[in-house]
Amino acid sequence: YWTDGRWYPLGQFADRVLDPMYLTLWVSNKERARTPAPLSVEFEVVSDVEGAPMSAWEPEDVNMPILPPPGDLILLPGTTAKLIQAPYPLGNLFFGPSGIGFVFSSENEGQVRSGSNVDRRGSLLMVAADGRAKTFVRSDLLRGLNRKGGAVYDGAFLVTVDYWPEGGNRYGGLFQLNLDGSFSEIALKEGHGGLSDLIPAAEGGWYFVDFENDNLWRLPKIGESETRVITAGGVPYGLGVVAQDPATGTLYCVNWKGSGWPFGGEDAIYKIVDGKAVLVAKAPEGQSFAGLDFARGGRFGTSLYASTGKQIVRVNEDGTLTPVISGGEAMGAMRFNPVTGDLLVVYGEKQLLLVSGRG
C-alpha cells in the first residue's frame, strides 16, 4: 500500500481501507527466461463501491500537487510563481541540459516508518518545466541527510555523496547512478569525504567542491585525475556550493562557516581569480548562503543570485546584496533552468518554489 511517498508491504496494513486503492501489476519473465519470448497476461479487477463513482487516484509522487504561492511571498516584479508539494524532505538540486530539473531527497532515518520490509531508499525527484513532478529514481545511494550533487551523464547521472554514515548513508565519493537505481563508484585520485556539489564545466568535464579535502576541484574526464582549482593563497574551509558564469567561465563558491570542523571561515561567496579565492560578499548576520547560480535572462537578467534565510538575493559587483524574492519559508538549494531561465528553489522542507521570469 502507498503512504508517505513510498510503498509498504500490504501485510503491515491493519486498518480499514477508506480511500481508493492504487493497484499496480508487474508481469515479467526476465528472471527465468533464457531466450526472448512473447508474454501475455489477462486479469480482471472487480470492485463494489457504494455511492457515486470516484475518479481515478494516483500516488502523490506520480502527480505531486501544484499550489499557488503563499500570500506573504514578495516576488520580483514581472515574475510569477507556483509551489510544488513533495511527499518527502528535499535537499540539493540540479538541471539537465534539456531543462529538466532533478531534486535529491534528504530524509532522516527517523522520518521513515519502521519495519524490516520498508523501502528506505532515497529518491531523485524530476521536475518538468511546467512544474509537473514525480519521483524518477529510487536508490540506496540516495539515502539519508548526506549532501549530494548531480549532473546528467551518458543516459544516467553523476552523483557526489558526502561520506557521513551518521546521516543515514554509508556511501561517499563520486558515482554513476543508473535509471533503475543501480550505481557504481567512479575512482578518484584523492580521498574526498565532504563532497557536496557538482556542476558540468563549460569547458568540458565537471567541477565539484569538498569541504573536508578543502578545495574546488576539476575532473576533466572520467578516468582522469582530478585537480585543485584554488592553487594560491588561502583555501576557505567549508566550500559547499559551486556556480560558473556562463558568459565568462568565472567560478564562484559558497563557503559555510558552520559550528566547527569540517566547516570554517566566513559564511560568504568567493570568486576564483588566478587560482585565488577572492571574497565577494558575506552573508547577512546570523545567516549562511544555501544556493548559488547565474540567471539565464528574462526578468532576472544574467546576474549572480544566492539564497539566504527567507530571501533570494542578487549579488552585486560591489558585494552588496539586493533582495528580489522574500518572505514565506526558508530558501534552500537553487538553480536556474538553462533553457527557460526559470528559477527553482527548495522552499521550506517539502516544497519547491518555481519562479518564472520569462520575457
Side-chain angles (χ1 to χ4, degrees):
Y1 69 100
W2 180 270
T3 188
D4 297 336
R6 66 185 71 234
W7 292 106
Y8 292 86
L10 193 59
Q12 297 182 12
F13 190 79
D15 299 328
R16 292 180 61 194
V17 179
L18 301 179
D19 297 310
M21 295 190 70
Y22 184 88
L23 178 64
T24 300
L25 301 180
W26 287 274
V27 180
S28 173
N29 61 3
K30 182 178 178 181
E31 293 185 0
R32 296 182 179 275
R34 296 184 179 181
T35 59
L39 187 67
S40 63
V41 175
E42 294 183 4
F43 63 90
E44 182 180 8
V45 177
V46 178
S47 63
D48 182 11
V49 180
E50 295 182 0
M54 305 182 71
S55 60
W57 175 85
E58 291 182 329
E60 54 190 312
D61 76 344
V62 170
N63 187 23
M64 296 181 187
I66 297 178
L67 310 171
D72 58 348
L73 187 69
I74 301 174
L75 296 171
L76 179 69
T79 64
T80 59
K82 60 182 72 172
L83 283 178
I84 304 163
Q85 181 67 55
Y88 39 73
L90 302 173
N92 201 10
L93 61 86
F94 63 96
F95 276 96
S98 64
I100 300 296
F102 298 94
V103 191
F104 293 103
S105 64
S106 182
E107 289 184 281
N108 189 313
E109 289 292 299
Q111 295 172 300
V112 180
R113 291 191 177 194
S114 61
S116 59
N117 294 321
V118 171
D119 183 357
R120 296 180 180 274
R121 295 174 297 173
S123 303
L124 185 66
L125 183 151
M126 181 179 71
V127 185
D130 61 1
R132 288 176 300 149
K134 67 176 183 178
T135 299
F136 191 60
V137 179
R138 291 188 65 80
S139 174
D140 282 332
L141 182 67
L142 305 177
R143 289 177 62 168
L145 298 170
N146 309 56
R147 183 80 178 182
K148 304 171 187 75
V152 173
Y153 168 68
D154 195 23
F157 301 97
L158 285 185
V159 174
T160 56
V161 181
D162 163 32
Y163 180 70
W164 182 37
E166 295 82 358
N169 191 322
R170 62 188 177 91
Y171 298 102
L174 177 65
F175 299 84
Q176 176 174 321
L177 173 66
N178 302 312
L179 302 186
D180 63 359
S182 63
F183 56 93
S184 57
E185 185 170 8
I186 296 173
L188 295 171
K189 179 182 178 181
E190 299 201 22
H192 294 281
L195 299 181
S196 64
D197 199 19
L198 171 81
I199 63 169
E203 61 274 29
W206 301 268
Y207 289 106
F208 60 85
V209 284
D210 188 339
F211 53 73
E212 291 189 16
N213 192 346
D214 298 308
N215 217 300
L216 168 63
W217 299 80
R218 179 168 185 258
L219 180 65
K221 291 181 180 180
I222 300 298
E224 295 188 7
S225 298
E226 70 277 22
T227 57
R228 291 175 171 82
V229 176
I230 303 173
T231 56
V235 179
Y237 298 137
L239 296 177
V241 186
V242 58
Q244 187 174 28
D245 187 337
T248 66
T250 304
L251 293 159
Y252 291 75
C253 292
V254 163
N255 189 77
W256 294 322
K257 180 179 180 179
S259 57
W261 190 88
F263 306 106
E266 299 276 0
D267 282 315
I269 296 170
Y270 290 85
K271 175 170 62 174
I272 312 305
V273 181
D274 297 328
K276 294 183 179 180
V278 179
L279 179 66
V280 172
K282 293 184 179 181
E285 185 68 27
Q287 297 182 16
S288 59
F289 293 109
L292 186 73
D293 200 15
F294 278 87
R296 303 299 202 276
R299 296 294 299 169
F300 289 101
T302 56
S303 299
L304 179 65
Y305 289 83
S307 52
T308 177
K310 296 183 178 181
Q311 294 182 327
I312 301 295
V313 297
R314 184 174 63 244
V315 182
N316 303 310
E317 292 184 2
D318 62 359
T320 57
L321 306 174
T322 302
V324 296
I325 301 174
S326 60
E329 301 291 334
M331 311 280 184
M334 54 161 280
R335 294 288 179 186
F336 286 93
N337 188 316
V339 176
T340 67
D342 293 349
L343 173 64
L344 186 65
V345 187
V346 173
Y347 182 78
E349 185 181 50
K350 294 184 178 181
Q351 291 181 321
L352 292 165
L353 180 66
L354 180 62
V355 184
S356 178
R358 307 174 202 183

